Each structure stands twice: as C-alpha cells, then as structure tokens.
C-alpha cells in the first residue's frame, strides 16, 4: 500500500481511474469493475488512518462507488419475480445482482475500516442524495447503505434520521424498497 502514497497525495491516482472504472456501466466488464472497487476498499482497510488524515477525498470517492454499484439492480417484472423466488429459497442465488451485493458489502467494509467518525459526513450526504431521487433503485441504494452501516452509528441524532428514512419508505410501491426498509 505504501507504493501508492505519493500518487494518492499528489493527484488521487490510481483511485480516480479505478473509481471511473467502477462507475462505467457501458464497455467495462463486471469483473474489472468489481476488482477496481476491491482495490479501493482494500486500500481503505489497510491505510484508514493515513487516508483520513492525508487524503480526505478518498473515503467519499470510495463510498460513492459503492452507492453507484448498488444502483445496478434489474428493474423488470421477470427480475422482480426471480427476486421474490430467491427470498423464498433459503440458499438464495448468489450470482444475481452481483454488482449490487458487492457495493453493499464494500460500503460496510469501508465504514468499519475508516470509522463512522471520519466518513459520516460523506455517507449521510450520499444517503440523502440517493434517497431524494425518484428511481426506486436509488432509494434502495440509500436504504441499503443505512442497513449496512447503522451498526457503526453512535449519535442519537443520526440514528433518529436513519429511522425516519426507513419509516418513510415502508409503504413504498416497490417491494424491494419496502423489504429493505423493514429489514434494516
């Protein structure tokens, strides 16, 4: 990890390039996108204190990548039926919505590694930004971020805001949004 310190401090490279790959939907394979996110998350896990102090824009960039991957949920009726069937199946199907699940896992890892104290501002801004969008996928991403990170929140005010957000989406028209709001 020390190899990249100078480049990260000077111009946020290779983090910016990797973040661009994570956010690229067309013309970039899922495997490349997943590996790019994995580099960002692993670096956050290996150098959390240094990043928080020396490269304060790293965590917000990484969290934004996680949120963008959580937007990648299939929207059709057939996909919704398949999701419902997976909810009934105890084993579940791990391959479905792989990018979404990688973003979900990664946001938890980043917040755990870097501490809620250092990432809370960026995280809550992203959650609010995504929750205010019309698309159900964006609302799902916001609620998933809450679900994955609520265990690290200690301030009562933040807990209350998260609870209000979850309660506001319990009667959302889309079942996946309702399900996440209820299970967060």
């Amino acid at each position: 990890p020390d190899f990249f310190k100078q480049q990260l401090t000077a111009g946020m490279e290779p983090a910016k390039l990797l973040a661009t790959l994570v956010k690229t939907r067309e013309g970039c394979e899922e495997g490349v996108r997943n590996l790019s996110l994995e580099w960002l998350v692993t670096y956050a896990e290996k150098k959390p204190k240094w990043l928080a102090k020396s490269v304060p824009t790293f965590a917000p960039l990484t969290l934004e990548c996680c949120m963008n991957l959580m937007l990648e949920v299939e929207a059709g009726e057939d996909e919704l039926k398949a999701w419902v069937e997976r909810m009934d199946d105890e084993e579940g199907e791990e391959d479905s919505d792989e990018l979404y699940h990688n973003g979900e896992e990664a946001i938890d890892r980043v917040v755990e590694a870097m501490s809620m104290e250092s990432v809370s501002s960026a995280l809550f801004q992203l959650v609010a930004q995504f929750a205010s969008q019309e698309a159900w996928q964006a609302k799902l991403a916001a609620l998933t971020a809450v679900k994955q990170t609520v265990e690290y929140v200690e301030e009562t005010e933040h807990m209350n805001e998260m609870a209000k957000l979850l309660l506001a989406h319990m009667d959302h028209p889309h079942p996946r949004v309702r399900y996440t709001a209820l299970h967060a």
Side-chain angles (χ1 to χ4, degrees):
D2 291 341
F3 178 80
F4 296 104
K5 278 186 172 181
Q6 185 178 1
Q7 293 89 345
L8 281 168
T9 306
M12 278 290 290
E13 293 299 344
K16 283 183 181 177
L17 171 67
L18 295 170
T20 302
L21 291 173
V22 171
K23 296 176 192 176
T24 302
R25 288 183 175 214
E26 301 294 322
C28 189
E29 293 181 19
E30 281 188 18
V32 171
R33 296 174 72 195
N34 286 328
L35 282 174
S36 298
L37 179 67
E38 185 60 29
W39 188 94
L40 293 166
V41 173
T42 301
Y43 204 91
E45 290 173 330
K46 299 295 180 194
K47 295 289 183 187
K49 290 177 184 169
W50 179 80
L51 286 170
K53 187 178 102 181
S54 304
V55 191
T57 56
F58 187 90
L61 181 69
T62 305
L63 292 172
E64 185 180 343
C65 289
C66 297
M67 296 292 286
N68 272 287
L69 284 187
M70 288 192 289
L71 290 174
E72 307 234 0
V73 182
E74 298 295 329
E77 283 295 317
D78 292 339
E79 288 82 1
L80 182 59
K81 287 178 184 172
W83 175 78
V84 170
E85 289 173 12
R86 281 195 313 274
M87 291 295 103
D88 290 339
D89 181 11
E90 289 181 22
E91 296 292 315
E93 199 174 309
E94 298 300 320
D95 294 341
S96 298
D97 298 327
E98 182 182 354
L99 291 172
Y100 168 82
H101 291 296
N102 286 345
E104 178 182 29
E105 178 188 325
I107 203 163
D108 186 1
R109 290 170 55 198
V110 170
V111 174
E112 181 180 16
M114 297 198 68
S115 84
M116 182 57 84
E117 187 179 320
S118 67
V119 301
S120 63
S121 175
L123 177 65
F124 294 133
Q125 284 177 357
L126 284 167
V127 167
Q129 175 189 338
F130 278 65
S132 67
Q133 294 177 25
E134 284 299 314
W136 68 265
Q137 292 95 334
K139 293 185 185 309
L140 178 66
L143 297 178
T144 301
V146 168
K147 179 185 83 164
Q148 292 298 106
T149 59
V150 70
E151 67 189 286
Y152 307 110
V153 177
E154 294 178 4
E155 292 183 32
T156 306
E157 182 182 325
H158 289 151
M159 285 285 234
N160 290 339
E161 289 301 314
M162 290 175 136
K164 285 179 192 173
L165 180 66
L166 294 171
L167 289 170
H169 289 87
M170 289 199 180
D171 60 353
H172 191 275
H174 198 278
R176 288 188 76 165
V177 174
R178 285 193 309 269
Y179 177 86
T180 303
L182 289 166
H183 284 87

